[in-house]
């Protein structure tokens, strides 16, 4: 659930009455597909839509939501347009779920691009409160207030479970679609983010989706195959939890949606009941809650790790992360059989630009330098800013020194191109020194020392060049 788009775009697009009516009609038709018994759906998406409408559009959207619910319900049940209109049900939904959306909106507007664990907990808690209030209120409006007392508990659970599933599955899906269609996009992640955040040994996204499918099929088919009356539906929470903890909110939520879809298809199409009606509703809701909470916990840890590992100005690896990655690559080098290259880069002429145009322009220049460095290296390479105008690049799995020289020449050419800094243009160059492990250093300390010496020698010889420590001359 990401921050909203600007207000002008919000009111001119997703909150238009026509689009809102269309969304409620689709939600009504979808809920009818999941109907477990008359007036009871396993997934009541209208509740999630009303919550999302209040969260995205604010209180101005809720009167339109009220009219849309009345109209769509009347068209769905048939009869005259003004005959037996469900005023109470529409008002209940708008007050409970629209009100929940307004509460969520206060936090959603100030949220960063990721879903944090406190925000996920808040969403689940507000949803639970709204669903419980709505289900209790249902018992006091027609036609349910005239039911016998011994049937009220079943009615409460039926509405509570379907609405809970509709909110927990529907709101993330609707806000995801909203962000894709209308929200201003965030800047793309730098290639180094993937390299820095890579966690070896964790299952891949497609592997997690495959596991979710296998577990869902086992839940549906094993009781039939073994001829036993045992319900295994709770097992579908395992792949959802694993996906959230290892890959984050989005993969966890998609895994939850996948297992939920398979369970509903097995129930409605293939006549393979994996759970009772109430159990199915709770599984749909808890799968989504598990995905959001576990995924948010993962994303919080990853975000904290990135803050501790990245240079705040350029987004590159910082000195601490650079040292860790270099040690890792040197330990891995004997097993891979390749060489590890290390480049030290110092900008020529940066101080003059900084003094002439100011620190703001200097910061913008460093950001552009970082972007150009990333463009010239491989995905497996690590680019770091060591401080000031000094950078370093770790080049693992090199076969020969010429590979590093080729990358260095490409860097020199790109760094020498003009830089647009507001109304001014600046030109700089770079001096690069590099060393290779194991020839140019048996450990990290020696490799850093030799690459640094080669860089200073490149500056002494005239700048704007690359020098190999072993070669003793300019490249």
């Amino acid at each position: 659930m990401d921050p909203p788009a600007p207000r002008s775009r919000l009111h001119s697009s997703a909150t238009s009455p026509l689009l809102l009516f269309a969304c409620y009609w689709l939600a009504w038709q979808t809920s009818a597909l999941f109907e477990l018994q008359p007036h009871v759906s396993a997934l009541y998406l209208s509740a999630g839509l009303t919550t999302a409408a209040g969260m995205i559009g604010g209180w101005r959207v809720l009167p339109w939501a009220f009219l849309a619910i009345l109209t769509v319900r009347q068209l769905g049940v048939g009869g005259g347009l003004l005959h037996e209109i469900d005023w109470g049900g529409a008002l209940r939904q708008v007050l409970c779920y629209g009100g929940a959306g307004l509460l969520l909106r206060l936090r959603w507007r100030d949220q960063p691009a990721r879903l944090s664990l406190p925000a996920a907990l808040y969403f689940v808690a507000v949803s639970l409160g709204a669903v419980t209030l709505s289900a209790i209120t249902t018992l006091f409006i027609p036609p349910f207030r005239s039911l016998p007392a011994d049937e009220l508990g079943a009615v409460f659970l039926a509405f509570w479970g379907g609405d809970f599933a509709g909110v927990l599955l529907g709101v993330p899906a609707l806000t995801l679609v909203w962000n894709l269609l209308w929200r201003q996009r965030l800047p793309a992640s730098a290639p180094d983010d993937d390299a820095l955040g890579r966690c070896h040994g964790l299952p891949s996204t497609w592997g997690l989706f495959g596991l979710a499918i296998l577990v869902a099929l086992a839940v549906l088919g094993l009781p039939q195959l073994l001829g036993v009356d045992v319900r295994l539906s709770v097992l579908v929470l395992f792949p959802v939890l694993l996906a959230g903890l290892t890959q984050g909110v989005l993969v966890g939520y998609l895994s939850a949606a996948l297992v939920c879809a398979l369970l509903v298809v097995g129930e409605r199409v293939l006549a393979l009941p994996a759970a009772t009606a109430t159990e199915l509703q709770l599984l749909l809701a808890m799968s989504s809650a598990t995905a959001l909470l576990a995924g948010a916990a993962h994303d919080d840890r990853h975000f904290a790790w990135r803050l501790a590992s990245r240079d705040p100005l350029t987004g590159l690896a910082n000195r601490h992360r650079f040292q860790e990655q270099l040690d890792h690559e040197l330990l891995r080098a004997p097993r891979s059989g390749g060489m590890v290259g290390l480049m030290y880069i110092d900008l020529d002429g940066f101080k003059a630009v900084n003094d002439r145009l100011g620190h703001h322009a200097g910061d913008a220049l460093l950001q552009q330098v970082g972007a150009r460095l990333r463009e010239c290296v491989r995905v497996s390479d690590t680019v770091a800013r060591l401080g000031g105008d000094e950078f370093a690049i770790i080049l693992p799995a090199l076969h020969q020194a010429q590979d590093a020289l080729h990358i260095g020449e490409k860097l020199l050419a790109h760094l020498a191109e003009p830089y647009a800094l507001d109304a001014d243009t600046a030109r700089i160059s770079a001096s690069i020194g590099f060393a290779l492990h194991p020839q140019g250093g048996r450990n990290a300390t020696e490799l850093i020392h030799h690459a640094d010496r080669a860089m200073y020698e490149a500056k002494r010889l005239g700048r704007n060049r690359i020098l190999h420590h072993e070669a003793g001359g300019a490249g």
Side-chain angles (χ1 to χ4, degrees), residues 313-314 347 350-351 353-355 357-369 385 388-389 421:
L313 178 64
T314 62
L347 303 182
F350 171 77
K351 185 177 185 301
V353 174
N354 202 47
D355 293 342
L357 301 179
H359 292 292
H360 177 73
D363 289 346
L365 177 59
L366 291 174
Q367 289 172 335
Q368 293 185 42
V369 167
R385 180 184 176 216
D389 61 341
L421 304 173

Side-chain angles (χ1 to χ4, degrees), residues 1-4 104-120 183:
M1 290 175 285
D2 297 339
L104 293 170
R105 177 177 173 82
L106 299 175
R107 298 278 291 267
W108 182 65
R109 296 177 65 178
D110 299 327
Q111 274 295 305
R114 62 187 179 85
L115 178 66
S116 65
L117 181 57
R183 180 178 172 271

Side-chain angles (χ1 to χ4, degrees), residues 69-338:
I69 294 169
L70 285 178
T71 304
V72 169
R73 281 186 174 182
Q74 195 63 22
L75 293 175
V77 299
L81 187 60
L82 298 179
H83 179 64
E84 294 183 358
I85 294 180
D86 186 13
W87 302 97
L91 184 61
R92 169 187 59 84
Q93 186 175 149
V94 168
L95 290 178
C96 292
Y97 298 119
L102 295 180
L103 288 176
L104 293 170
R105 177 177 173 82
L106 299 175
R107 298 278 291 267
W108 182 65
R109 296 177 65 178
D110 299 327
Q111 274 295 305
R114 62 187 179 85
L115 178 66
S116 65
L117 181 57
L121 285 168
Y122 183 71
F123 167 64
V124 174
V126 170
S127 301
L128 179 61
V131 166
T132 303
L133 179 61
S134 176
I136 293 174
T137 308
T138 299
L139 303 180
F140 297 96
I141 61 175
F144 303 103
R145 66 182 179 186
S146 59
L147 290 175
D150 58 353
E151 296 183 16
L152 293 180
V155 172
F156 173 84
L157 284 177
F159 278 89
W160 186 85
D163 286 13
F164 203 22
V167 173
L168 290 186
L169 276 170
V171 172
L174 290 166
T175 52
L176 177 62
V177 172
W178 161 266
N179 291 332
L180 291 175
L181 294 179
W182 288 292
R183 180 178 172 271
Q184 289 181 331
R185 296 184 180 274
L186 292 172
S189 296
D192 261 340
D193 290 346
D194 295 333
L196 290 176
R198 204 179 294 120
C199 296
H200 303 286
L202 294 181
S204 68
T205 299
W206 291 110
L208 290 166
F209 289 158
L211 177 63
I213 293 173
L214 287 175
V215 172
L217 293 177
V219 166
L220 291 169
L222 272 181
Q224 305 293 326
L225 182 63
L226 300 176
V228 295
D229 186 18
V230 177
R231 300 189 186 279
L232 306 173
S233 53
V234 70
L235 294 179
V236 300
L237 295 179
F238 169 71
V240 174
L241 178 64
L242 183 62
L245 288 175
T246 58
Q247 297 292 339
V249 168
L250 182 59
V251 176
Y253 176 76
L254 292 177
S255 297
L258 182 59
V259 297
C260 290
L262 290 173
L263 290 181
V264 171
V265 168
E267 171 75 28
R268 303 293 295 163
V269 179
L270 303 179
L272 296 174
T276 65
T278 302
E279 288 172 350
L280 181 60
Q281 291 174 327
L282 293 179
L283 276 174
L284 300 184
M286 296 314 298
S287 294
S288 181
T290 299
L292 295 177
L293 295 174
H298 166 276
D299 291 349
D300 279 355
R301 291 196 306 273
H302 184 66
F303 180 72
W305 180 86
R306 288 175 64 193
L307 282 180
S309 304
R310 290 174 56 184
D311 171 56
L313 178 64
T314 62
L316 302 176
N318 59 18
R319 182 181 290 273
H320 174 70
R321 177 58 190 166
F322 160 76
Q323 188 67 54
E324 283 188 341
Q325 189 66 25
L326 181 59
D327 292 338
H328 171 75
E329 296 297 349
L330 294 181
L331 286 174
R332 197 174 64 166
R335 298 194 298 271
S336 63

